PDB file of all heavy atoms in Angstrom:
ATOM      1  N   PRO A  23      22.345 -12.545   5.839  1.00 88.00           N
ATOM      2  CA  PRO A  23      23.337 -11.957   4.928  1.00 88.00           C
ATOM      3  C   PRO A  23      22.899 -12.138   3.407  1.00 88.00           C
ATOM      4  O   PRO A  23      23.078 -11.226   2.731  1.00 88.00           O
ATOM      5  CB  PRO A  23      24.590 -12.619   5.239  1.00 88.00           C
ATOM      6  CG  PRO A  23      24.193 -13.946   5.986  1.00 88.00           C
ATOM      7  CD  PRO A  23      22.962 -13.667   6.643  1.00 88.00           C
ATOM      8  N   ALA A  24      22.396 -13.279   3.071  1.00 87.00           N
ATOM      9  CA  ALA A  24      21.921 -13.500   1.701  1.00 87.00           C
ATOM     10  C   ALA A  24      20.821 -12.497   1.509  1.00 87.00           C
ATOM     11  O   ALA A  24      20.765 -11.964   0.225  1.00 87.00           O
ATOM     12  CB  ALA A  24      21.475 -14.922   1.432  1.00 87.00           C
ATOM     13  N   SER A  25      19.884 -12.269   2.306  1.00 86.00           N
ATOM     14  CA  SER A  25      18.772 -11.393   2.118  1.00 86.00           C
ATOM     15  C   SER A  25      19.279  -9.930   1.890  1.00 86.00           C
ATOM     16  O   SER A  25      18.818  -9.278   0.986  1.00 86.00           O
ATOM     17  CB  SER A  25      17.790 -11.384   3.334  1.00 86.00           C
ATOM     18  OG  SER A  25      17.210 -12.693   3.243  1.00 86.00           O
ATOM     19  N   ARG A  26      20.120  -9.608   2.718  1.00 88.00           N
ATOM     20  CA  ARG A  26      20.692  -8.252   2.555  1.00 88.00           C
ATOM     21  C   ARG A  26      21.425  -8.119   1.248  1.00 88.00           C
ATOM     22  O   ARG A  26      21.313  -7.072   0.540  1.00 88.00           O
ATOM     23  CB  ARG A  26      21.765  -7.921   3.783  1.00 88.00           C
ATOM     24  CG  ARG A  26      21.044  -7.612   4.982  1.00 88.00           C
ATOM     25  CD  ARG A  26      22.083  -7.184   6.062  1.00 88.00           C
ATOM     26  NE  ARG A  26      21.539  -6.978   7.302  1.00 88.00           N
ATOM     27  CZ  ARG A  26      22.337  -6.812   8.463  1.00 88.00           C
ATOM     28  NH1 ARG A  26      23.638  -6.977   8.293  1.00 88.00           N
ATOM     29  NH2 ARG A  26      21.787  -6.585   9.655  1.00 88.00           N
ATOM     30  N   ASN A  27      22.286  -9.131   0.927  1.00 88.00           N
ATOM     31  CA  ASN A  27      23.056  -8.987  -0.352  1.00 88.00           C
ATOM     32  C   ASN A  27      22.073  -8.829  -1.507  1.00 88.00           C
ATOM     33  O   ASN A  27      22.213  -8.125  -2.512  1.00 88.00           O
ATOM     34  CB  ASN A  27      23.949 -10.149  -0.627  1.00 88.00           C
ATOM     35  CG  ASN A  27      25.180 -10.110   0.403  1.00 88.00           C
ATOM     36  OD1 ASN A  27      25.449  -9.158   0.944  1.00 88.00           O
ATOM     37  ND2 ASN A  27      25.787 -11.313   0.545  1.00 88.00           N
ATOM     38  N   ARG A  28      20.963  -9.531  -1.444  1.00 89.00           N
ATOM     39  CA  ARG A  28      19.977  -9.585  -2.567  1.00 89.00           C
ATOM     40  C   ARG A  28      19.321  -8.132  -2.708  1.00 89.00           C
ATOM     41  O   ARG A  28      19.151  -7.721  -3.884  1.00 89.00           O
ATOM     42  CB  ARG A  28      18.912 -10.628  -2.367  1.00 89.00           C
ATOM     43  CG  ARG A  28      17.945 -10.688  -3.589  1.00 89.00           C
ATOM     44  CD  ARG A  28      17.209 -11.936  -3.503  1.00 89.00           C
ATOM     45  NE  ARG A  28      16.305 -11.992  -4.705  1.00 89.00           N
ATOM     46  CZ  ARG A  28      14.993 -11.975  -4.799  1.00 89.00           C
ATOM     47  NH1 ARG A  28      14.393 -11.744  -3.745  1.00 89.00           N
ATOM     48  NH2 ARG A  28      14.408 -12.007  -6.053  1.00 89.00           N
ATOM     49  N   ALA A  29      18.928  -7.606  -1.638  1.00 86.00           N
ATOM     50  CA  ALA A  29      18.450  -6.293  -1.654  1.00 86.00           C
ATOM     51  C   ALA A  29      19.342  -5.252  -2.189  1.00 86.00           C
ATOM     52  O   ALA A  29      19.087  -4.508  -3.030  1.00 86.00           O
ATOM     53  CB  ALA A  29      17.856  -5.941  -0.301  1.00 86.00           C
ATOM     54  N   ILE A  30      20.697  -5.393  -1.799  1.00 88.00           N
ATOM     55  CA  ILE A  30      21.723  -4.518  -2.171  1.00 88.00           C
ATOM     56  C   ILE A  30      21.988  -4.575  -3.682  1.00 88.00           C
ATOM     57  O   ILE A  30      22.189  -3.598  -4.419  1.00 88.00           O
ATOM     58  CB  ILE A  30      22.983  -4.574  -1.341  1.00 88.00           C
ATOM     59  CG1 ILE A  30      22.645  -4.121   0.100  1.00 88.00           C
ATOM     60  CG2 ILE A  30      24.204  -3.906  -1.902  1.00 88.00           C
ATOM     61  CD1 ILE A  30      23.655  -4.520   1.147  1.00 88.00           C
ATOM     62  N   GLU A  31      21.881  -5.851  -4.159  1.00 89.00           N
ATOM     63  CA  GLU A  31      22.224  -6.116  -5.558  1.00 89.00           C
ATOM     64  C   GLU A  31      21.053  -5.406  -6.476  1.00 89.00           C
ATOM     65  O   GLU A  31      21.406  -4.993  -7.490  1.00 89.00           O
ATOM     66  CB  GLU A  31      22.061  -7.631  -5.870  1.00 89.00           C
ATOM     67  CG  GLU A  31      23.294  -8.319  -5.442  1.00 89.00           C
ATOM     68  CD  GLU A  31      23.076  -9.915  -5.469  1.00 89.00           C
ATOM     69  OE1 GLU A  31      22.050 -10.334  -6.000  1.00 89.00           O
ATOM     70  OE2 GLU A  31      23.894 -10.641  -4.888  1.00 89.00           O
ATOM     71  N   HIS A  32      19.849  -5.143  -5.892  1.00 86.00           N
ATOM     72  CA  HIS A  32      18.888  -4.514  -6.687  1.00 86.00           C
ATOM     73  C   HIS A  32      18.754  -3.023  -6.482  1.00 86.00           C
ATOM     74  O   HIS A  32      18.062  -2.358  -7.056  1.00 86.00           O
ATOM     75  CB  HIS A  32      17.569  -5.147  -6.255  1.00 86.00           C
ATOM     76  CG  HIS A  32      17.230  -6.555  -6.941  1.00 86.00           C
ATOM     77  ND1 HIS A  32      17.705  -7.609  -6.348  1.00 86.00           N
ATOM     78  CD2 HIS A  32      16.645  -6.888  -8.009  1.00 86.00           C
ATOM     79  CE1 HIS A  32      17.398  -8.688  -7.129  1.00 86.00           C
ATOM     80  NE2 HIS A  32      16.831  -8.312  -8.158  1.00 86.00           N
ATOM     81  N   SER A  33      19.561  -2.515  -5.569  1.00 87.00           N
ATOM     82  CA  SER A  33      19.686  -1.063  -5.300  1.00 87.00           C
ATOM     83  C   SER A  33      20.182  -0.328  -6.441  1.00 87.00           C
ATOM     84  O   SER A  33      21.109  -0.811  -7.210  1.00 87.00           O
ATOM     85  CB  SER A  33      20.465  -0.851  -3.970  1.00 87.00           C
ATOM     86  OG  SER A  33      20.656   0.510  -3.737  1.00 87.00           O
ATOM     87  N   ARG A  34      19.729   0.788  -6.614  1.00 85.00           N
ATOM     88  CA  ARG A  34      20.147   1.709  -7.651  1.00 85.00           C
ATOM     89  C   ARG A  34      20.783   2.975  -7.215  1.00 85.00           C
ATOM     90  O   ARG A  34      21.353   3.821  -7.939  1.00 85.00           O
ATOM     91  CB  ARG A  34      18.935   2.183  -8.537  1.00 85.00           C
ATOM     92  CG  ARG A  34      18.234   0.999  -9.210  1.00 85.00           C
ATOM     93  CD  ARG A  34      17.107   1.495  -9.990  1.00 85.00           C
ATOM     94  NE  ARG A  34      16.137   2.163  -9.156  1.00 85.00           N
ATOM     95  CZ  ARG A  34      14.931   1.669  -8.771  1.00 85.00           C
ATOM     96  NH1 ARG A  34      14.585   0.335  -8.995  1.00 85.00           N
ATOM     97  NH2 ARG A  34      14.114   2.382  -8.034  1.00 85.00           N
ATOM     98  N   ALA A  35      20.824   3.114  -5.896  1.00 89.00           N
ATOM     99  CA  ALA A  35      21.384   4.367  -5.203  1.00 89.00           C
ATOM    100  C   ALA A  35      22.814   4.205  -4.951  1.00 89.00           C
ATOM    101  O   ALA A  35      23.376   3.093  -4.770  1.00 89.00           O
ATOM    102  CB  ALA A  35      20.596   4.610  -3.979  1.00 89.00           C
ATOM    103  N   PRO A  36      23.476   5.320  -4.894  1.00 94.00           N
ATOM    104  CA  PRO A  36      24.997   5.250  -4.524  1.00 94.00           C
ATOM    105  C   PRO A  36      25.183   5.041  -3.032  1.00 94.00           C
ATOM    106  O   PRO A  36      26.367   4.734  -2.667  1.00 94.00           O
ATOM    107  CB  PRO A  36      25.566   6.680  -4.982  1.00 94.00           C
ATOM    108  CG  PRO A  36      24.332   7.489  -4.915  1.00 94.00           C
ATOM    109  CD  PRO A  36      23.159   6.661  -5.232  1.00 94.00           C
ATOM    110  N   LYS A  37      24.167   5.244  -2.220  1.00 95.00           N
ATOM    111  CA  LYS A  37      24.388   4.909  -0.737  1.00 95.00           C
ATOM    112  C   LYS A  37      23.214   3.998  -0.347  1.00 95.00           C
ATOM    113  O   LYS A  37      22.160   4.050  -0.824  1.00 95.00           O
ATOM    114  CB  LYS A  37      24.213   6.322  -0.063  1.00 95.00           C
ATOM    115  CG  LYS A  37      25.324   7.192  -0.226  1.00 95.00           C
ATOM    116  CD  LYS A  37      25.158   8.513   0.597  1.00 95.00           C
ATOM    117  CE  LYS A  37      26.133   9.530   0.211  1.00 95.00           C
ATOM    118  NZ  LYS A  37      25.657  10.257  -0.959  1.00 95.00           N
ATOM    119  N   ILE A  38      23.530   3.164   0.536  1.00 93.00           N
ATOM    120  CA  ILE A  38      22.614   1.986   0.964  1.00 93.00           C
ATOM    121  C   ILE A  38      22.462   2.057   2.578  1.00 93.00           C
ATOM    122  O   ILE A  38      23.480   2.095   3.224  1.00 93.00           O
ATOM    123  CB  ILE A  38      23.089   0.650   0.594  1.00 93.00           C
ATOM    124  CG1 ILE A  38      23.199   0.661  -0.933  1.00 93.00           C
ATOM    125  CG2 ILE A  38      22.175  -0.464   1.095  1.00 93.00           C
ATOM    126  CD1 ILE A  38      24.158  -0.382  -1.479  1.00 93.00           C
ATOM    127  N   MET A  39      21.305   2.113   3.135  1.00 91.00           N
ATOM    128  CA  MET A  39      21.026   2.076   4.405  1.00 91.00           C
ATOM    129  C   MET A  39      20.604   0.726   4.948  1.00 91.00           C
ATOM    130  O   MET A  39      19.722   0.128   4.319  1.00 91.00           O
ATOM    131  CB  MET A  39      19.998   3.047   4.851  1.00 91.00           C
ATOM    132  CG  MET A  39      19.663   3.175   6.360  1.00 91.00           C
ATOM    133  SD  MET A  39      21.059   3.868   7.306  1.00 91.00           S
ATOM    134  CE  MET A  39      20.387   3.849   8.880  1.00 91.00           C
ATOM    135  N   VAL A  40      21.245   0.175   5.815  1.00 85.00           N
ATOM    136  CA  VAL A  40      21.082  -1.189   6.357  1.00 85.00           C
ATOM    137  C   VAL A  40      20.263  -1.141   7.724  1.00 85.00           C
ATOM    138  O   VAL A  40      20.757  -0.403   8.609  1.00 85.00           O
ATOM    139  CB  VAL A  40      22.350  -2.070   6.553  1.00 85.00           C
ATOM    140  CG1 VAL A  40      21.990  -3.436   7.284  1.00 85.00           C
ATOM    141  CG2 VAL A  40      22.985  -2.188   5.233  1.00 85.00           C
ATOM    142  N   MET A  41      19.054  -1.722   7.708  1.00 82.00           N
ATOM    143  CA  MET A  41      18.269  -1.664   8.906  1.00 82.00           C
ATOM    144  C   MET A  41      17.532  -3.054   9.131  1.00 82.00           C
ATOM    145  O   MET A  41      17.158  -3.643   8.092  1.00 82.00           O
ATOM    146  CB  MET A  41      17.184  -0.624   8.895  1.00 82.00           C
ATOM    147  CG  MET A  41      17.621   0.770   9.046  1.00 82.00           C
ATOM    148  SD  MET A  41      16.277   1.933   8.944  1.00 82.00           S
ATOM    149  CE  MET A  41      15.228   1.352  10.285  1.00 82.00           C
ATOM    150  N   ASP A  42      17.508  -3.452  10.293  1.00 81.00           N
ATOM    151  CA  ASP A  42      16.858  -4.736  10.587  1.00 81.00           C
ATOM    152  C   ASP A  42      15.518  -4.475  11.308  1.00 81.00           C
ATOM    153  O   ASP A  42      15.303  -3.256  11.728  1.00 81.00           O
ATOM    154  CB  ASP A  42      17.651  -5.607  11.429  1.00 81.00           C
ATOM    155  CG  ASP A  42      19.050  -6.073  10.756  1.00 81.00           C
ATOM    156  OD1 ASP A  42      18.848  -6.298   9.551  1.00 81.00           O
ATOM    157  OD2 ASP A  42      20.138  -6.121  11.524  1.00 81.00           O
ATOM    158  N   ALA A  43      14.639  -5.416  11.577  1.00 81.00           N
ATOM    159  CA  ALA A  43      13.427  -5.195  12.275  1.00 81.00           C
ATOM    160  C   ALA A  43      13.618  -4.627  13.656  1.00 81.00           C
ATOM    161  O   ALA A  43      12.570  -4.053  14.151  1.00 81.00           O
ATOM    162  CB  ALA A  43      12.623  -6.569  12.299  1.00 81.00           C
ATOM    163  N   ASP A  44      14.644  -4.892  14.271  1.00 83.00           N
ATOM    164  CA  ASP A  44      14.865  -4.386  15.553  1.00 83.00           C
ATOM    165  C   ASP A  44      15.561  -2.918  15.668  1.00 83.00           C
ATOM    166  O   ASP A  44      15.957  -2.453  16.703  1.00 83.00           O
ATOM    167  CB  ASP A  44      15.590  -5.241  16.519  1.00 83.00           C
ATOM    168  CG  ASP A  44      16.883  -5.740  15.836  1.00 83.00           C
ATOM    169  OD1 ASP A  44      17.335  -5.319  14.783  1.00 83.00           O
ATOM    170  OD2 ASP A  44      17.434  -6.800  16.286  1.00 83.00           O
ATOM    171  N   ASN A  45      15.578  -2.298  14.528  1.00 87.00           N
ATOM    172  CA  ASN A  45      16.179  -1.007  14.385  1.00 87.00           C
ATOM    173  C   ASN A  45      15.042   0.075  14.078  1.00 87.00           C
ATOM    174  O   ASN A  45      14.074  -0.298  13.443  1.00 87.00           O
ATOM    175  CB  ASN A  45      17.104  -0.809  13.253  1.00 87.00           C
ATOM    176  CG  ASN A  45      18.413  -1.541  13.456  1.00 87.00           C
ATOM    177  OD1 ASN A  45      18.921  -2.346  12.717  1.00 87.00           O
ATOM    178  ND2 ASN A  45      19.002  -1.221  14.634  1.00 87.00           N
TER     179      ASN A  45
END
Side-chain angles (χ1 to χ4, degrees):
S25 296
R26 284 183 184 170
N27 287 345
R28 182 166 190 246
I30 291 164
E31 287 168 7
H32 285 83
S33 173
R34 299 177 304 256
K37 296 179 189 81
I38 300 158
M39 181 67 178
V40 175
M41 288 183 56
D42 294 326
D44 46 14
N45 290 128

